[in-house]
Amino acid sequence: MNLLKYKNYEALSEAVAEKMILQIISKPNTVFCLASGNSPLKAYEYFVEKVQKQNIDYSQCVFIGLDEWVGITPDDTGSCHYFLTKNVFEPLNVPTENIYLFDGLAKNLEAECQRINQAIIENNGIDLIIVGIGMNGHIGFNEPGIAIDNYVHVVDLDSVTQTVGQKYFDKPMLLKKGITVGLQFFLEAKNALLMANGSKKAAIIKQTIEGEITTAVPSTIIQLHRNALVMLDEEAAGNLV
Ligand code: F6R
């Protein structure tokens, strides 16, 4: 596991965007798996800007959403679907056939899991998975206590996630379940990038990097990844030895 620290959120985001660009340059048919949420927001803005300025050809790239809230419509501004569409896919005009996002309203959630499982397998696995970290150490919606050997699966959301998740919505929401790419795909991804910013993430980042590996803190699983990069701003790195 490698660790890179940046002065602030802007510098961190710029560096994450640059990693995404370099990834496409080294493998034009990159399969990305992308988190939503506040952490990667600016990185995606920089990514779009760099792609456009540098005329990067992303026409062969495949984009897979990391997770979704079950029961939330794709056009709800708090959904992961909306977030990635508005911040990455629409600005870049990514062809729809290259995008795989969960439908949080799917009647058959098991079939929805299989659809994304298949998409990942048929595209020969994830090249770069970009994740944030929850206050409880979740990765995607892989909540504390989750088994490592999960591919795409439906989860009961932890109470911390149910509460913290309210920040994405403009009115109180019932957030009981999620659908997520599992830790097995995370571990199998050729490259894993975890990014975090802000002092509120400092404690969980310390546990993730310096703590013992345990599914009670799913993010500690990153220590088992053969090609993982943790990118932090100074505040998120503030508690590290
Ligand atoms: C979102 C996701 C979550 C977030 C995490 C941190 O797609 O998978 O695991 O990455 O909850 O959220 P932010 O970045 O909003 O602090």
Side-chain angles (χ1 to χ4, degrees), residues 37-51:
N38 294 341
S39 311
L41 180 60
K42 194 113 203 115
Y44 296 158
E45 266 176 48
Y46 280 123
F47 172 63
V48 168
E49 209 177 286
K50 282 171 183 278
V51 163

Side-chain angles (χ1 to χ4, degrees), residues 35-40 66-67 80 132-134 138-140 167-168 201:
S36 307
N38 294 341
S39 311
L66 177 64
D67 48 13
C80 301
I133 183 170
H138 74 194
I139 293 287
K167 69 180 176 179
Y168 305 116
K201 296 282 172 75

Side-chain angles (χ1 to χ4, degrees), residues 99-118:
I99 300 173
Y100 296 89
L101 292 171
F102 289 109
D103 176 3
L105 289 187
K107 291 248 157 26
N108 184 341
L109 289 173
E110 226 14 78
E112 190 59 2
C113 290
Q114 285 316 318
R115 185 176 71 84
I116 303 294
N117 265 330
Q118 276 311 107

Side-chain angles (χ1 to χ4, degrees), residues 20-31:
M20 295 173 76
I21 296 290
L22 292 174
Q23 173 63 43
I24 300 179
I25 291 171
S26 73
K27 186 170 185 282
N29 62 345
T30 286
V31 178

